[in-house]
């Protein structure tokens, strides 16, 4: 039986957002208190001016269909190249690190490109930017399901084929081949090799071909 690590998403245990930028308030608590007192004193004879109606937020940028750097399709899947990959708030080292992934071959989805940086989405939906050198094209997928469930890796791409292994949610498998529009993918988990349904993993689209 192949079992997952403690964190299926591959993030460092206890990882939190880092404070990478100075405080933007620009004044101390004492100054704020003095300012509040002065404002209260002058408010007695003041006429309140109605606040303007805020302008509506602009709509989000549409999802591009191809990368601006590689011209490859977007979104597309890739995998983490090493056991330490920093997820940043923006495309550059000047942006703070939000997470550090510690799981090689964790599948991710590339959604944007900017120079040498790629915006990714992980299996839990968290998004951020990583350097393109931390990604690889070799494909993987992560087993989905309830915490106590198991997914069969079968000998043949058939629902009644005997299992060669039973995989717990969070196990990362290497995708060896997915035929176009087939419901099954040939996959490998450790020393076990067999077939798994696309619908039981995250890291491959419904009708994608993987060679």
């Amino acid at each position: 039986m192949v079992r997952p690590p403690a964190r299926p998403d591959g993030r460092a245990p206890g990882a939190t957002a880092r404070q990478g930028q100075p405080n933007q308030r620009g004044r101390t608590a004492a100054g704020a208190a003095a300012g509040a007192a002065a404002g209260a004193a002058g408010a007695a004879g003041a006429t309140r001016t109605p606040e303007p109606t805020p302008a509506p937020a602009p709509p989000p940028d549409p999802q591009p269909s191809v990368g601006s750097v590689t011209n490859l399709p977007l979104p597309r899947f890739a995998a983490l190249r090493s056991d330490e990959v920093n997820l940043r708030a923006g495309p550059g080292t000047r942006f703070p690190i939000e997470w550090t992934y510690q799981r090689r071959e964790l599948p991710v989805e590339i959604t944007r490109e900017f120079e040498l940086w790629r915006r990714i989405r992980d299996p839990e939906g968290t998004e951020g930017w990583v350097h393109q050198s931390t990604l690889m094209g070799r494909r993987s997928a992560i087993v989905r399901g309830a915490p106590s469930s198991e997914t069969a890796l079968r000998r043949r791409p058939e629902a009644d084929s005997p299992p060669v292994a039973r995989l717990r949610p969070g196990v990362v498998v290497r995708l060896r081949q997915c035929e176009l529009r087939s419901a099954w993918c040939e996959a490998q988990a450790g020393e076990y090799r067999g077939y798994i349904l696309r619908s039981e993993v995250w890291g491959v689209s419904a009708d994608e071909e993987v060679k």
Side-chain angles (χ1 to χ4, degrees), residues 102-178:
Q102 296 181 336
R103 193 170 186 188
R104 186 174 183 269
E105 296 193 9
L106 181 76
V108 295
E109 189 175 28
I110 300 174
T111 61
R112 294 284 195 283
E113 298 180 356
F114 179 78
E115 297 180 353
L116 297 178
W117 295 84
R118 305 291 180 262
R119 184 170 178 83
I120 64 167
R121 179 186 301 118
D122 71 18
E124 291 194 348
T126 300
E127 295 192 42
W129 293 85
V130 299
H131 196 275
Q132 60 90 20
S133 64
T134 64
L135 301 174
M136 62 180 177
R138 187 168 65 195
R139 297 291 299 276
S140 63
I142 189 168
V143 178
R144 300 194 285 192
S148 60
S149 65
E150 291 184 333
T151 297
L153 186 67
R154 300 189 180 277
R155 192 177 305 277
R156 295 182 302 277
E158 301 168 358
D160 58 353
S161 178
V164 297
R166 296 188 180 277
L167 310 178
R168 299 291 297 275
V171 169
V172 171
V173 299
R174 182 177 299 178
L175 296 180
R176 305 189 66 90
Q177 182 178 3
C178 302

Side-chain angles (χ1 to χ4, degrees), residues 56-72:
D61 293 336
Q63 169 68 52
S65 58
V66 296
S68 59
V69 179
T70 64
N71 287 324
L72 294 175

